[in-house]
Amino acid sequence: MSGRIILCADDYALTAGVSQAIRMLAAAARISATSAIVTQPGWPRDAAALKPLAEGLAIGLHLNFTLGRPRLAGSRFAQRGEFPGLKRLITMAKTGRLDHSQVAAEIEAQLDAFEAGVGAAPDFIDGHEHVHILPVIRPALLRVAQRRYGGRGLLIRDPSRTFLGRSPSSRLRAKGLALRYLGFSMGRDIRAAGFVSNDRFGGVTQFDASNERVVLEFRAASDIDGWRPLVMCHPGFADAELRGIDRIAERRQTEFEVLMRPTPPMGQIWHPARRADGTVDWPGPANGGNA
């Protein structure tokens, strides 16, 4: 087992304040990775500021199908030019109302935007609100990734491997069960496509913004084990821009403050090393070590 946690700060480029907080954490070596939303207006600006940190930070695509506008105009799944909310997207995905070709085209467009901003292929891919595990989106993503990044050691997040810690609340248990249900066979599908994935997943919370709750949840996440344990977090600065679009703005501020403490309440954080070809050397066996 690795004994170290891959700590990923999600939602880079959601707002300028979220991006700044994540860059500060990366510069202080408090996180392992960040995944970027490339559909937000600030992505080109924030991508340029992220590139100098790439040597010691894994940088991935936070695939988005629920927030704001798609990269491609005219998609039938985007009413009035806006992505659907998560509940509606799940219903569309499970009732055959998502067009595979349009989903694949949007994934291609988001990957193109990522590469244009960072100047490199993503080190990993995950999904905003875990959309990448859904029917239609999942197989489309794996096919696109195979064509573009086959053989690169790309990691794709598997949130179905959820670890909730000791005595989770009924609400957290429901979240974990939902991820396991929607993400059924996700790890197997990722390995069949030739990629690696995490074998444990943590960071599922109720988004309570209190310092005490954030500390407890980060400490619980430190109990996660496995060859490639991955924990997500959502730090940011709760400025006016963030409060205007995000219901967990205060939680993001607290997460940032807790992670920047002289002694953060996490276990040992893994930091990436890059191979000669620039790809990340992920911990654990090549096949992912997944059960």
Side-chain angles (χ1 to χ4, degrees):
M1 296 191 179
S2 71
R4 294 187 293 171
I5 295 166
I6 303 170
L7 182 61
C8 180
D10 287 2
D11 301 333
Y12 187 84
L14 175 64
T15 65
V18 168
S19 295
Q20 182 184 5
I22 290 173
R23 290 195 303 271
M24 290 176 67
L25 289 166
R30 300 302 175 88
I31 56 175
S32 311
T34 188
S35 52
I37 299 177
V38 302
T39 53
Q40 289 292 91
W43 166 242
R45 170 202 65 211
D46 291 345
L50 185 61
K51 285 193 284 187
L53 298 169
E55 185 61 33
L57 186 73
I59 303 173
L61 174 68
H62 203 48
L63 185 67
N64 176 34
F65 275 86
T66 60
L67 173 69
R69 295 179 176 273
R71 296 290 309 188
L72 294 180
S75 297
R76 287 198 297 272
F77 53 74
Q79 291 188 342
R80 296 181 295 277
E82 298 280 334
F83 281 127
L86 180 61
K87 289 183 179 179
R88 182 166 172 266
L89 182 71
I90 292 173
T91 299
M92 294 172 71
K94 294 184 73 64
T95 57
R97 292 161 54 201
L98 286 180
D99 181 86
H100 183 281
S101 63
Q102 289 200 342
V103 167
E106 178 63 24
I107 293 170
E108 295 269 15
Q110 292 190 30
L111 287 167
D112 288 344
F114 180 96
E115 292 185 17
V118 176
D123 297 316
F124 64 96
I125 298 173
D126 55 36
H128 186 58
E129 300 187 290
H130 311 296
V131 297
H132 65 300
I133 69 177
L134 295 177
V136 184
I137 297 176
R138 184 198 305 192
L141 170 61
L142 292 175
R143 289 191 187 102
V144 169
Q146 277 183 307
R147 183 181 61 77
R148 295 177 68 128
Y149 310 123
R152 282 188 57 86
L154 183 79
L155 183 142
I156 298 178
R157 181 183 292 181
D158 178 7
S160 74
R161 308 288 294 184
T162 301
F163 170 81
L164 297 175
R166 299 182 182 90
S167 304
S169 68
S170 58
R171 186 177 175 187
L172 283 185
R173 192 176 294 109
K175 279 189 174 184
L177 290 173
L179 287 173
R180 291 168 189 169
Y181 168 69
L182 291 170
F184 180 75
S185 79
M186 183 74 184
R188 183 179 63 199
D189 293 347
I190 292 168
R191 295 193 301 277
F195 302 118
V196 298
S197 66
N198 52 291
D199 63 344
R200 294 291 185 273
F201 179 65
V204 177
T205 75
Q206 297 182 78
F207 293 119
D208 185 320
S210 69
N211 272 276
E212 180 182 12
R213 175 53 57 183
V214 171
V215 169
L216 286 173
E217 289 175 346
F218 279 154
R219 284 177 177 162
S222 296
D223 290 337
I224 197 170
D225 62 2
W227 288 105
R228 199 174 285 131
L230 189 152
V231 175
M232 65 177 176
C233 60
H234 300 86
F237 290 129
D239 54 19
E241 182 186 13
L242 184 60
R243 288 191 180 100
I245 65 170
D246 187 48
R247 64 182 176 81
I248 65 165
E250 302 304 327
R251 165 75 185 213
R252 292 181 189 273
Q253 180 76 43
T254 305
E255 288 198 12
F256 170 77
E257 292 169 357
V258 168
L259 288 172
M260 284 295 283
R261 288 179 179 180
T263 306
M266 293 293 293
Q268 189 177 8
I269 304 300
W270 171 84
H271 296 290
R274 293 192 180 272
R275 303 184 182 94
D277 63 0
T279 59
V280 168
D281 186 12
W282 296 103
N287 68 357
N290 294 8

